[in-house]
Amino acid sequence: MTSETLAQLSTQIDNVFFVLGALILLIEIAETLFKGSHKGRTFAEMLVSASTQIPSILVEVTILTAGYGAFFVLSDAFVPWVMPITWWSVALVVLAADIVYYWEHRIAHQVRLLWTQHAVHHSSRDYNIITGIRFGPLEGLWSLIAHLPLVFVGFPPQLIFFGLVVVLAYQTWIHTETIGRLGPLDRIFNTPSNHRVHHGSDDKYLDRNYGGILIVWDRLWGTFQAEEETPRYGLKRDFDSRNPLRVWFSELPGLMRDVKSAQTWGDVWGYLVKAPGWKPGHSPDRSE
């Protein structure tokens, strides 16, 4: 398999999930139009979710492009061998990228500095396909750093990017209430039912179901929760804005206030790298 073939396969997979997501979106729009009373709010929520792509794309074409180039430089300079691009290495890198995504995602929930970016994805009180493209401006930078170890394992950068694209593309279709539970598939894959739990702010649903493609990682590492009652979506704290700037930077004002009020450098460090809700002398209460 050549790099060109790999790029074509990546595009085809991305297109398949894009089309699937577009079909679900059309159904969601039709349902919203027939709902009546809340349709204005729902469409406004969709627009602000889509608006988060503006800063994300700006970061992607600048910082992330340079970062992708650095992957090739590091691979050439420090990795004495790389895997050939074959069907088995393609399958292996998707599995590896899915495991990396689980831990990248889990850490983003537990480190407040990273949460300032990932919280944007969780800040909507609605749950629909457009929620899937609601990202913090610098969220992609953490993803790039998290996938860096795969370079030193011996995966060629183009394979790593392929795995990353597949894991993200897969998640297009799971941000919906249109699809219910899927029986045995819910035990293996990250499905709409499993991911609705992840977006819930209810105590029982908080910080659960981090998986990208497979939900088995959550079962393996003790973070799985099945969907029971319908989740209350959004952040646990009272945040319900459709102002794009407030959504893009929703967590930064609170972090800056806490850092400014810190009495010691240890407190500053705690506010930056400990879990959301951490206070000096107290355990985190996840009050985001």
Side-chain angles (χ1 to χ4, degrees):
M1 180 183 292
T2 65
S3 295
E4 291 74 19
T5 304
L6 186 68
Q8 291 173 0
L9 180 61
S10 175
T11 300
Q12 290 169 355
I13 292 173
D14 201 27
N15 288 341
V16 166
F17 284 109
F18 176 82
V19 171
L20 178 59
L23 292 173
I24 295 173
L25 177 60
L26 290 175
I27 296 172
E28 290 179 338
I29 290 174
E31 289 178 340
T32 300
L33 289 172
F34 283 106
K35 281 180 182 176
S37 59
H38 296 293
K39 64 182 179 183
R41 170 202 153 84
T42 300
F43 285 127
E45 196 73 33
M46 286 182 172
L47 286 174
V48 76
S49 291
S51 79
T52 65
Q53 287 294 293
I54 297 171
S56 293
I57 290 173
L58 290 175
V59 169
E60 187 169 331
V61 299
T62 53
I63 298 174
L64 296 188
T65 299
Y68 294 153
F71 271 41
F72 286 93
V73 172
L74 291 171
S75 180
D76 290 340
F78 298 107
V79 182
W81 71 281
V82 293
M83 298 180 192
I85 301 177
T86 63
W87 286 110
W88 69 263
S89 62
V90 166
L92 186 60
V93 81
V94 171
L95 183 65
D98 202 40
I99 293 173
V100 169
Y101 178 84
Y102 171 89
W103 286 105
E104 166 203 333
H105 195 180
R106 184 169 177 173
I107 293 169
H109 276 249
Q110 300 301 326
V111 174
R112 189 176 180 188
L113 188 61
L114 300 177
W115 176 249
T116 63
Q117 300 304 302
H118 188 57
V120 175
H121 184 64
H122 283 265
S123 61
S124 177
R125 293 294 183 195
D126 288 349
Y127 188 76
N128 50 55
I129 286 294
I130 303 299
T131 308
I133 62 170
R134 188 177 180 123
F135 295 123
L138 297 175
E139 195 163 2
L141 182 59
W142 164 233
S143 179
L144 193 70
I145 294 169
H147 285 80
L148 185 59
L150 295 183
V151 172
F152 299 102
V153 171
F155 287 108
Q158 56 267 48
L159 259 187
I160 297 172
F161 304 146
F162 173 82
L164 195 157
V165 166
V166 171
V167 173
L168 292 179
Y170 171 88
Q171 295 178 67
T172 304
W173 74 286
I174 62 177
H175 292 85
T176 185
E177 292 184 299
T178 301
I179 300 173
R181 299 179 189 179
L182 298 176
L185 294 179
D186 289 331
R187 297 187 59 83
I188 302 170
F189 295 99
N190 189 17
T191 58
S193 175
N194 288 329
H195 203 60
R196 285 193 290 269
V197 166
H198 180 70
H199 277 257
S201 60
D202 315 85
D203 288 343
K204 68 187 296 184
Y205 291 155
L206 208 61
D207 298 333
R208 297 290 174 178
N209 297 2
Y210 295 109
I213 296 175
L214 299 176
I215 204 67
V216 294
W217 311 127
D218 289 278
R219 293 182 177 277
L220 177 64
W221 289 308
T223 53
F224 177 74
Q225 170 63 50
E227 183 181 32
E228 294 173 358
E229 62 273 5
T230 301
R232 177 182 183 270
Y233 302 115
L235 302 176
K236 192 171 182 66
R237 69 181 179 88
D238 185 20
F239 181 85
D240 187 20
S241 175
R242 277 157 293 287
N243 179 319
L245 290 177
R246 286 196 66 199
V247 170
W248 297 356
F249 307 109
S250 60
E251 301 303 302
L252 290 176
L255 176 60
M256 289 188 290
R257 283 195 300 270
D258 285 341
V259 168
K260 186 177 179 179
S261 69
Q263 300 298 308
T264 68
W265 286 109
D267 291 347
V268 171
W269 179 253
Y271 281 128
L272 292 174
V273 304
K274 292 189 178 181
W278 178 86
K279 300 290 183 185
H282 297 84
S283 298
D285 60 6
R286 291 298 287 159
S287 59
E288 72 271 22

